[in-house]
């Protein structure tokens, strides 16, 4: 049905190309943002309580923990949330591309 209608086929092809460009730009943006998750740990020492932040991420098969200075923690958390949001958008775009390929039978 789609192959018979050249206008509809062209529109779907254009949409698929647009989605692929968007997916590529999202992949580039994701690669520039930090991986992992931000954690807080509370430590007590001589009746004082200290809070420190650390970044937990995977490096191959190993878990890596990196200390994050107090001033950078808030900005890092925003970047991690932005990465998660973009990863969700990328997943939606990939599903859309998959659906369009089925419609176009590619």
């Amino acid at each position: 049905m789609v192959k018979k209608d050249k206008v509809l086929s062209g529109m779907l092809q254009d949409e698929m190309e647009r989605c692929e460009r968007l997916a590529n730009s999202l992949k580039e943006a994701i690669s520039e943002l930090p991986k992992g998750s931000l954690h807080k740990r509370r430590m007590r020492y001589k009746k004082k309580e200290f809070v420190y932040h650390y970044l937990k991420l995977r490096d191959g098969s190993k878990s890596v923990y990196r200390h994050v200075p107090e001033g950078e923690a808030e900005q890092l958390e925003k970047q991690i949330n932005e990465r998660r949001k973009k990863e969700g958008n990328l997943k939606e775009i990939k599903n859309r591309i998959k659906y369009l390929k089925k419609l176009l039978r590619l």
Side-chain angles (χ1 to χ4, degrees):
M1 178 70 183
V2 173
K3 293 196 179 206
K4 291 180 183 178
D5 189 2
K6 293 188 185 231
V7 173
L8 183 60
S9 177
M11 286 175 41
L12 291 174
Q13 188 68 35
D14 289 343
E15 177 66 12
M16 190 172 73
E17 290 171 3
R18 184 191 71 82
C19 288
E20 287 174 344
R21 284 192 308 269
L22 183 59
N24 289 335
S25 68
L26 280 172
K27 285 178 188 176
E28 288 177 19
I30 288 171
S31 68
E32 294 172 3
L33 294 170
K35 289 189 205 179
S37 58
L38 191 64
H39 295 272
K40 294 179 187 177
R41 177 162 283 175
R42 298 184 192 285
M43 298 294 289
R44 291 184 185 176
Y45 180 72
K46 294 186 178 181
K47 298 182 182 180
K48 291 183 182 178
E49 188 172 298
F50 300 95
V51 177
Y52 71 92
H53 302 276
Y54 63 96
L55 180 67
K56 181 180 178 183
L57 59 111
R58 308 268 319 159
D59 184 20
S61 62
K62 293 192 259 181
S63 290
V64 178
Y65 302 92
R66 293 192 180 135
H67 174 73
V68 177
E70 180 95 18
E72 296 176 16
E74 188 175 324
Q75 180 185 3
L76 184 63
E77 188 171 12
K78 287 179 184 178
Q79 290 176 340
I80 290 171
N81 289 336
E82 185 179 344
R83 180 186 176 101
R84 287 184 183 150
K85 184 178 177 184
K86 288 184 181 199
E87 285 174 342
N89 290 343
L90 180 60
K91 187 175 181 181
E92 289 177 12
I93 294 294
K94 284 183 177 182
N95 287 337
R96 184 180 201 119
I97 290 171
K98 188 176 178 182
Y99 177 71
L100 289 169
K101 283 184 178 182
K102 282 182 183 179
L103 285 176
L104 292 168
R105 294 193 176 118
L106 294 176

